[in-house]
C-alpha cells in the first residue's frame, strides 16, 4: 500500500499510511497576527480529519489554537513536553486527547509507530515565553517511514538521530524576507537531504504566508524556495525523487524496502 502525502500549505500536511491519517502543524487561517495567506485557499474540511495530529513546536504558526479547536472530538494530539504549561489555551481543548512527548519517545497510533526526534530550533512560545519546550521532528513508521522535520536547522547528528527514512518533508523557507537561526533554506535543506538519503522528498514551509505590507520586500524568498530546492537537491542528492506540490496537491509513493 502506498503512502500518500498532501501539502495544504506552510508546514501543514496530511500523511496517509497504514489506513491512518496523520496531520502536521495544522494552520487553517487566512490571517495570523501580521501574516496573511498569500497563496493557496484555506484547506477544506477534509484536511481537519485526522487520527493523530503532530505539533512540532510552540510558535503560533505551528501550534495554532483556533485550528486545533476545529479538530474532531477525540483526536489524538502530540505536543512537545511542557506545551500545556507554556500555552495555557491548550488545556481548554478538552475534546482532544493531548499527549506530551520529547525526543526518544515512541507512540503507537493504529498501524503506525510515531517516533519523536530532535530538531534544532527555538521551541518557545513567542515573543519570548518563560517556559521552554523542545522543538521536535517526527518519524511516522507504517508502510513507509516518513520524516516530518517541523522547523529545524541543519545539525551534525541529524541522520543518526532521525534514522533511515523513505520520505522527508523538509522546510525550505519561511514566512518572511529573512530566515533566522534554526531554519532550513533551500540550500541547507538540500544538504540535509543528502545526509538523510530518503527515496523521496517534499518541500514545505514556504510560499504560503507573508507579512502584510511587505509583498515587495525580497519577494524571491516567498516565490523561489521550492524551485530552488528542486534544483539544488538534484545536485546534492540526485538519487532522491523530489515532489514539489502545489497547495492542496497530493503524491502517492510506492515504497519497497
Amino acid at each position: 500500500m502506498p503512502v500518500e502525502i498532501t501539502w495544504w500549505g506552510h508546514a501543514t500536511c496530511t500523511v496517509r499510511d497504514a489506513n491512518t491519517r496523520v496531520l502536521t502543524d495544522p494552520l487553517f487561517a487566512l490571517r495570523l497576527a501580521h501574516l496573511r495567506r498569500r497563496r493557496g485557499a484555506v484547506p477544506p474540511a477534509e484536511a481537519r480529519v485526522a487520527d493523530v495530529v503532530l505539533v512540532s513546536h510552540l510558535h503560533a504558526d505551528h501550534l495554532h489554537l483556533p485550528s486545533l479547536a476545529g479538530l474532531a472530538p477525540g483526536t489524538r494530539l502530540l505536543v512537545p513536553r511542557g506545551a500545556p504549561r507554556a500555552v495555557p489555551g491548550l488545556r481548554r481543548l478538552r475534546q482532544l486527547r493531548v499527549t506530551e512527548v520529547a525526543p526518544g519517545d515512541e507512540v503507537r497510533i493504529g498501524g503506525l509507530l510515531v517516533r519523536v526526534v530532535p530538531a534544532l530550533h527555538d521551541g518557545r512560545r513567542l515573543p519570548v515565553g518563560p517556559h521552554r519546550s523542545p522543538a521536535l521532528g517526527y518519524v511516522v513508521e507504517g508502510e513507509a517511514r516518513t520524516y516530518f522535520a517541523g522547523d529545524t536547522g541543519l545539525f551534525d547528528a541529524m541522520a543518526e538521530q532521525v534514522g533511515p527514512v523513505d520520505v522527508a518533508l523538509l522546510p525550505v523557507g519561511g514566512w518572511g524576507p529573512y530566515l533566522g537561526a534554526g531554519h532550513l533554506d533551500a540550500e541547507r535543506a538540500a544538504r540535509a537531504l543528502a545526509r538523510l538519503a530518503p527515496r523521496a522528498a517534499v518541500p514545505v514551509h514556504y510560499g504560503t504566508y507573508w507579512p502584510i505590507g511587505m509583498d515587495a520586500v525580497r519577494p524571491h524568498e516567498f516565490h523561489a524556495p521550492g524551485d530552488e530546492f528542486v534544483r539544488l537537491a538534484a545536485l546534492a542528492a540526485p538519487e532522491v525523487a523530489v515532489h514539489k506540490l502545489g497547495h492542496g496537491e497530493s503524491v502517492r509513493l510506492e515504497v519497497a524496502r
Side-chain angles (χ1 to χ4, degrees):
M1 178 179 177
V3 61
E4 183 176 277
I5 310 294
T6 304
W7 182 50
W8 301 110
H10 204 53
T12 307
C13 301
T14 295
V15 179
R16 297 178 180 86
D17 192 347
N19 296 313
T20 305
R21 291 173 62 105
V22 180
L23 180 64
T24 67
D25 286 352
L27 181 54
F28 305 131
L30 279 173
R31 180 171 175 177
L32 173 62
H34 65 299
L35 306 178
R36 66 180 174 91
R37 192 174 182 112
R38 284 190 57 199
R39 182 181 289 164
V42 172
E46 68 181 83
R48 294 161 171 77
V49 178
D51 298 292
V52 62
V53 175
L54 311 179
V55 171
S56 63
H57 62 288
L58 306 190
H59 294 171
D61 57 322
H62 293 259
L63 194 167
H64 185 243
L65 290 171
S67 295
L68 296 177
L71 299 173
T75 301
R76 189 78 177 271
L77 176 64
L78 305 189
V79 299
R81 187 168 295 165
R85 181 178 64 164
V87 187
L90 266 176
R91 299 198 290 267
R92 293 193 289 271
L93 302 181
R94 297 185 180 89
Q95 77 277 20
L96 305 180
R97 298 162 56 206
V98 179
T99 301
E100 298 178 53
V101 294
D105 289 347
E106 296 183 347
V107 180
R108 287 208 170 269
I109 309 289
L112 301 178
L113 176 68
V114 178
R115 291 195 295 109
V116 186
V117 299
L120 181 64
H121 192 69
D122 183 348
R124 293 173 296 174
R125 192 69 161 181
L126 296 179
V128 178
H131 304 298
R132 287 190 174 273
S133 288
L136 307 175
Y138 296 91
V139 178
V140 177
E141 298 189 358
E143 299 293 329
R145 295 164 298 195
T146 301
Y147 171 46
F148 169 61
D151 257 0
T152 187
L154 187 64
F155 55 98
D156 290 341
M158 177 180 277
E160 176 185 345
Q161 294 185 351
V162 171
V165 294
D166 303 298
V167 184
L169 311 180
L170 293 179
V172 301
W175 50 254
Y178 299 96
L179 278 178
H183 292 88
L184 296 178
D185 60 10
E187 187 271 335
R188 290 190 291 270
R191 289 164 55 195
L193 194 66
R195 295 184 185 186
L196 295 165
R199 289 177 169 82
V202 176
V204 303
H205 202 268
Y206 76 99
T208 307
Y209 291 91
W210 201 252
I212 293 169
M214 296 185 68
D215 292 9
V217 180
R218 292 171 60 85
H220 61 282
E221 297 293 349
F222 179 85
H223 295 285
D227 289 331
E228 188 69 356
F229 175 70
V230 171
R231 184 182 72 82
L232 294 172
L235 299 174
E239 70 284 358
V240 180
V242 177
H243 301 272
K244 187 174 81 74
L245 303 178
H247 293 78
E249 289 186 348
S250 302
V251 60
R252 292 168 64 88
L253 303 168
E254 295 283 353
V255 177
R257 295 191 194 167

